[in-house]
Each structure stands twice: as structure tokens, then as C-alpha cells.
Amino acid sequence: MTKESAETLGSRIKQSRERMEISVTLLARKLGVKPDTVRAWEADKGDVRANKLMVLAGILNVSVNWLLSGGSDGAPSDSGSNESREIRGMVETLRQQLSEAERTLDQLTQRVG
């Protein structure tokens, strides 16, 4: 799906989320909504409140205008994508390290009873 072919609010949300490599669950958590709510938005089966729309645009690095209308200003771009990929990779590495540390902490807690 290209930028130009995203014809609905839902398709623009989904396209932008996928471009940012953010899962539905993570996006929902950042917005303080349930994953099913994000899925409904992406399927054009739910309305996005104005306050959530503003936050959504910020997370997805697009303008509210682009999300609502598909207008050219604020459309997602690939500029900085190498840096974004690098940062996402670092974040994923840190998540894995945190997960490993949590497992180790759980094991040690069980050993001491």
C-alpha cells in the first residue's frame, strides 16, 4: 500500500503503524486503549476521539490532517528511516535484555523463597 492509496482513516492508521513497525498492542498501550479499539479504527469500524487522534498522529509521526483526509502535508516519509530502524533495533535489544533480567529475577526470587 502506497501513501497515495490509503483512502480511509483506518487504512492510513494501519499504513502508518506498519511503517513505524509498531504492533497493534503496543500502539494501544501507548494510547491507553484496548487493542480491539485500534483494530476497529483500522477497519473503519470505530471512531477515533479527537484527543486520541492528536496523540495517534504524534506516535505515528504524521499530521492529523493527513490521517483525516490523506492530504499531502504531514504524510509519512521515509526520511530518517535508517536512523529510525537503528533506534527500533536498540529498543528491541533493550526489551530483550529487560525480559531476560526479569526471568533471572524471578528465578532468584523462587530460590530464596
Side-chain angles (χ1 to χ4, degrees), residues 4-6 8 12 16-18 22 36 39 47 52 56 59 63 66-67 72-73 86 92 95 97-98 101 106-107 110:
E4 293 75 23
S5 68
T8 67
R12 286 186 290 275
S16 299
R17 178 183 59 76
E18 290 174 345
I22 298 173
D36 285 344
R39 287 186 195 96
D47 294 324
K52 296 296 183 188
L56 183 61
I59 292 169
S63 73
W66 183 80
L67 279 176
S72 62
D73 74 314
E86 183 179 332
E92 184 57 33
R95 280 193 183 122
Q97 290 171 345
L98 178 59
D106 287 343
Q107 290 171 352
Q110 288 176 357

Side-chain angles (χ1 to χ4, degrees), residues 9 18-24 30 50 67 70 88 95:
L9 171 62
E18 290 174 345
R19 179 186 55 85
M20 296 294 292
E21 297 178 8
I22 298 173
S23 70
V24 167
K30 288 178 177 245
L67 279 176
R88 283 191 296 273
R95 280 193 183 122

Side-chain angles (χ1 to χ4, degrees), residues 31 48-59 62 64 67:
L31 290 165
V48 184
R49 291 184 181 178
N51 63 328
K52 296 296 183 188
L53 191 64
M54 303 269 301
V55 177
L56 183 61
I59 292 169
V62 296
V64 172
L67 279 176

Side-chain angles (χ1 to χ4, degrees), residues 89-107:
M90 292 168 60
V91 167
E92 184 57 33
T93 299
L94 286 171
R95 280 193 183 122
Q96 290 171 356
Q97 290 171 345
L98 178 59
S99 179
E100 185 176 323
E102 288 173 342
R103 281 192 300 274
T104 301
L105 181 60
D106 287 343
Q107 290 171 352

